[in-house]
Amino acid sequence: MEITWEDGHHSTYSGEQLRWACPCAECRGEAGAPGRLAKINRLSPEELLIKDVTLVGQYALQIAFESGHATGIYTFRYLMSLPPRPPEV
Ligand SMILES: [Zn+2]
């Protein structure tokens, strides 16, 4: 997924990076309980494939993955804070 920011610079995000960065309560945990991503170290290929991206208001993107997981709301501020895409392994 590629974003062009208002200042003209580009950011590229892989599905894998975004999936691991999913900010939803299920993945991140809530109320001090660890989320799903804290308990696993592998995700299946379909979980890493972006299926759909929806603009939420003016501030965020909702990203749906092939696995059906679509509860993550990625604010632009959050996306900007993610590290640059790591090299393919
Ligand atoms: Zn999630």
Side-chain angles (χ1 to χ4, degrees), residues 22-38:
C22 183
C24 84
E26 182 192 333
C27 294
R28 290 283 132 207
E30 54 188 336
R36 177 164 174 253
L37 294 180

Side-chain angles (χ1 to χ4, degrees), residues 1-23:
M1 185 179 86
E2 192 171 313
I3 292 178
T4 302
W5 303 103
E6 270 181 11
D7 67 3
H9 90 269
H10 299 265
S11 297
T12 304
Y13 304 95
S14 67
E16 180 171 17
Q17 179 186 15
L18 291 170
R19 185 61 190 84
W20 283 108
C22 183

Side-chain angles (χ1 to χ4, degrees), residues 20-72:
W20 283 108
C22 183
C24 84
E26 182 192 333
C27 294
R28 290 283 132 207
E30 54 188 336
R36 177 164 174 253
L37 294 180
K39 300 175 194 155
I40 56 174
N41 54 28
R42 288 189 76 88
L43 286 164
S44 68
E46 72 163 6
E47 292 197 84
L48 304 177
L49 270 182
I50 295 172
K51 185 181 182 192
D52 206 9
V53 178
T54 310
L55 186 63
V56 179
Q58 293 295 314
Y59 73 97
L61 297 174
Q62 179 174 18
I63 300 176
F65 293 87
E66 285 292 339
S67 62
H69 189 74
T71 41

